[in-house]
Amino acid sequence: MAASPLAGTGVSAGTVHANLTAPGLIAHAMRRGEGRLSADGAFIGVTGQHTGRSVQDKFVADDPEATAEIWWGKVNQKLAPAKFEAFTARVRGYLGEQPELFTEDLYAGADPKYRIKVRLVTTNAWHALFARNMFIRPPVEELEGFTPDYVILHAPEMEADPKVDGGREGSTTLIALSFAKKIIAIAGTSYAGEIKKSIFTVMNWLLPPQGVLPMHCSANVGQAGDTALFFGLSGTGKTTLSSDPERKLIGDDEHGWSPEGVFNFEGGCYAKVIKLSQEAEPQIWNASHRFGTVLENVVADERGHLDLDDNSLTENTRSCYPIEFIPNTQPRGMGGVPKNVVMLTADAFGVLPPISRLTPAQAMYHFLSGYTARVAGTEKGLGKEPQATFSTCFGAPFLPRHPEVYGRMLAELIETHGAQVWLVNTGWSGGAYGTGSRMSIKHTRALLRAALDGSLAKGEFETEPFFGLAIPKAVEGVPAEVLNPRESWADKDAYDRTARDLQGRFEKNFETFAGAVDESVKAAAIKAAA
């Protein structure tokens, strides 16, 4: 006898649609009026007021067995265990009262040695399809007797009550996670990214004790079998730059680096598609125009034709599709030990070079700094202009452990395997945001290809004076004045003032880690701030 699709969730309900495939889920979503189809058959969902992650509404249960190892603060806010129990009981009760539910049994982690089993229970068919696209879909024969390691209780239409549930005052949204109970409960937000990122947080918790570095990065592999990693926050180009027709995609957002190599956590992609160009990003464009894809807050006309330039709902428009919708993907979602590590930043000040080579100490410094510009829409409450920010390890919102844990692991892996590290600015050139222009994607791709094929490292470099970064003197297909950011500015004095200002921001941010890194990294930090 097959196990109940709600086994292990604590939910008791009548009609449950379990492990439906895309056609079935889309049929239910259309029947229920959850959204509409594009002219190409992609499902379009609208998430209302929550068009990005609700970072202030994420809480972690203060379980006695985990509390000492959790990085408590703004990222991981404490929720009393009793409050967590009461909240999850309310969510279970709410789910049990619904006329129908949808469940999906999925994997997180392409490497069987490190993967976990996840069971999602949700009120909406389209959210089930999102999860099915996003995570790894087990073969049918592995669904028999599926026992989840972690359960996601997803009630987007339910309003949390901070007085009862212990969430943020005045908010009806609550995302609560317990590592001891192995449960995630989500209420008050329809933004599908909360489902994805909750499991990323879990993987960031589980893997370090197993000797695996969890990473907020994309990854691909070249024809010679050389693996490359691309760290970066949303909007810096992880998905775009890793989806390279000349290289096979391992994954676009979340990976683990184990002693054996790199493996994807997911089975799908979650790409930003605002102003998506068919010419510049054909793989993502094509995947976004087909049946089975979930489009989030994307605008279409009455005939279903997409307007990817329309940001009337949000700048954070998204496309979620199975990774096999990208034509050249790496089988099994696994690759070898990385040869190149790329740290992406969208520098709104226009100061950092389009590409620079980092020493191991500089790599540690920039990894812990995690500098970029947050792009409007990726988090609820951001304005229309990018905002300079530092997000340690290029993924602070998803780190349950102290950043130094991940930083030390990366430094050890780079040293052990001799990986080359590059800092790439996909932000502004010729001036700060509002004056300069966004870096040409053609130039960025040319620089990356030269870095990944090994030719860039063989060329001549010069050291820029503000951060001590090694800048190539010449790269085929890229104008010389673009390589040195100061030369791209008409007003050199303005560049110098802006660069010194950014230095100060780096210095102030790195004070947090001054006592947690070795002398070589401190020296890199001092040089950058000099």
Side-chain angles (χ1 to χ4, degrees):
M1 183 177 178
S4 165
L6 293 174
T9 68
V11 177
S12 178
T15 301
V16 181
H17 306 287
N19 293 316
L20 299 184
T21 57
L25 289 170
I26 290 173
H28 282 294
M30 296 302 293
R31 170 183 62 83
R32 291 164 47 86
E34 294 177 6
R36 57 181 296 209
L37 295 182
S38 74
D40 303 289
F43 181 83
I44 304 174
V46 178
T47 63
Q49 66 170 324
H50 294 277
T51 57
R53 291 179 293 105
S54 298
V55 294
Q56 294 179 304
D57 296 308
K58 174 187 171 185
F59 287 78
V60 179
D62 188 14
D63 301 308
E65 53 267 72
T67 187
E69 297 180 61
I70 294 176
W71 180 35
W72 294 113
K74 292 182 179 179
V75 169
N76 300 293
Q77 302 175 87
K78 288 186 179 183
L79 187 64
K83 289 290 186 181
F84 179 85
E85 288 288 344
F87 175 57
T88 52
R90 286 215 315 122
V91 173
R92 287 188 178 105
Y94 175 89
L95 293 172
E97 294 171 355
Q98 303 311 302
E100 55 186 339
L101 295 174
F102 299 86
T103 67
E104 290 288 332
D105 294 335
L106 303 159
Y107 292 144
D111 189 335
K113 186 175 179 180
Y114 304 109
R115 74 169 37 140
I116 63 170
K117 298 177 179 179
V118 178
R119 175 164 288 164
L120 169 74
V121 183
T122 181
T123 56
N124 294 326
W126 85 265
H127 282 111
L129 178 59
F130 172 90
R132 185 173 180 82
N133 284 354
M134 204 67 257
F135 296 110
I136 298 169
R137 298 158 291 283
V140 174
E141 60 271 18
E142 294 181 19
L143 293 174
E144 186 70 27
F146 187 98
T147 302
D149 298 308
Y150 271 78
V151 169
I152 304 174
L153 303 174
H154 188 245
E157 293 86 8
M158 171 185 158
E159 292 189 350
D161 183 345
K163 294 181 180 179
V164 176
D165 303 319
R168 180 167 60 97
E169 184 178 353
S171 175
T172 57
T173 300
L174 179 56
I175 302 102
L177 162 63
S178 169
F179 294 119
K181 301 295 183 182
K182 298 183 177 181
I183 293 172
I184 300 131
I186 301 171
T189 172
S190 292
Y191 181 65
E194 300 289 9
I195 298 171
K196 162 189 161 71
K197 291 303 186 184
S198 66
I199 293 300
F200 184 39
T201 302
V202 168
M203 297 297 275
N204 276 310
W205 172 256
L206 294 176
L207 292 180
Q210 300 179 60
V212 178
L213 172 63
M215 303 173 293
H216 187 209
C217 71
S218 57
N220 62 24
V221 59
Q223 295 179 2
D226 56 301
T227 298
L229 304 179
F230 302 80
F231 285 94
L233 296 184
S234 174
T236 56
K238 291 194 312 302
T239 300
T240 297
L241 296 172
S242 59
S243 298
D244 185 336
E246 297 182 10
R247 299 174 65 86
K248 290 185 177 181
L249 180 68
I250 299 174
D252 84 323
D253 196 48
E254 302 171 5
H255 293 81
W257 186 344
S258 76
E260 295 80 28
V262 170
F263 63 96
N264 193 358
F265 290 169
E266 302 176 315
C269 301
Y270 192 38
K272 284 196 72 173
V273 292
I274 192 68
K275 302 187 186 305
L276 182 72
S277 162
Q278 185 177 13
E279 178 184 3
E281 304 174 74
Q283 294 185 336
I284 300 172
W285 195 94
N286 290 334
S288 302
H289 288 77
R290 59 183 291 181
F291 180 83
T293 290
V294 171
L295 299 175
E296 198 173 26
N297 297 313
V298 172
V299 175
D301 65 20
E302 61 183 9
R303 299 177 65 189
H305 296 295
L306 304 181
D307 183 352
L308 298 176
D309 293 330
D310 192 325
N311 64 355
S312 58
L313 294 179
T314 177
E315 288 280 336
N316 192 32
T317 56
R318 293 279 181 165
S319 176
C320 172
Y321 46 87
I323 197 168
E324 57 265 28
F325 282 14
I326 299 294
N328 53 331
T329 56
Q330 178 75 345
R332 298 172 52 240
M334 300 170 67
V337 172
K339 184 178 179 180
N340 287 281
V341 175
V342 179
M343 297 182 184
L344 302 169
T345 176
D347 177 22
F349 293 99
V351 167
L352 295 178
I355 194 166
S356 51
R357 184 175 61 187
L358 303 183
T359 66
Q362 287 175 324
M364 179 74 160
Y365 175 67
H366 283 277
F367 184 64
L368 286 176
S369 297
Y371 166 70
T372 191
R374 290 185 295 177
V375 179
T378 56
E379 294 179 8
K380 188 173 182 287
L382 289 185
K384 293 196 177 284
E385 295 185 359
Q387 298 178 9
T389 189
F390 293 88
S391 183
T392 184
C393 305
F394 294 97
F398 322 116
L399 303 182
R401 298 180 183 274
H402 292 268
E404 293 87 343
V405 172
Y406 310 98
R408 284 194 298 269
M409 292 186 75
L410 179 67
E412 291 168 1
L413 287 164
I414 290 172
E415 182 179 1
T416 299
H417 299 291
Q420 179 62 64
V421 186
W422 305 92
L423 181 67
V424 172
N425 176 20
T426 62
W428 280 259
S429 177
Y433 177 82
T435 301
S437 57
R438 193 73 191 255
M439 203 74 69
S440 163
I441 190 171
K442 291 182 179 179
H443 291 161
T444 301
R445 285 196 185 280
L447 292 168
L448 278 173
R449 284 171 181 163
L452 300 187
D453 68 18
S455 62
L456 185 58
K458 297 175 183 177
E460 290 187 72
F461 287 77
E462 60 182 334
T463 302
E464 62 84 35
F466 292 96
F467 290 88
L469 299 171
I471 306 173
K473 289 186 175 182
V475 179
E476 185 177 352
V478 182
E481 64 271 16
V482 172
L483 296 174
N484 189 324
R486 190 173 187 271
E487 295 304 313
S488 70
W489 283 52
D491 187 338
K492 302 298 189 287
D493 290 338
Y495 174 85
D496 293 342
R497 289 193 301 271
T498 306
R500 283 192 289 269
D501 176 72
L502 186 58
Q503 277 184 325
R505 293 171 186 257
F506 267 85
E507 181 180 18
K508 180 175 177 58
N509 173 73
F510 206 77
E511 291 173 357
T512 305
F513 308 107
V517 297
D518 62 30
E519 292 303 318
S520 64
V521 179
K522 289 179 183 178
I526 292 170
K527 186 173 183 180

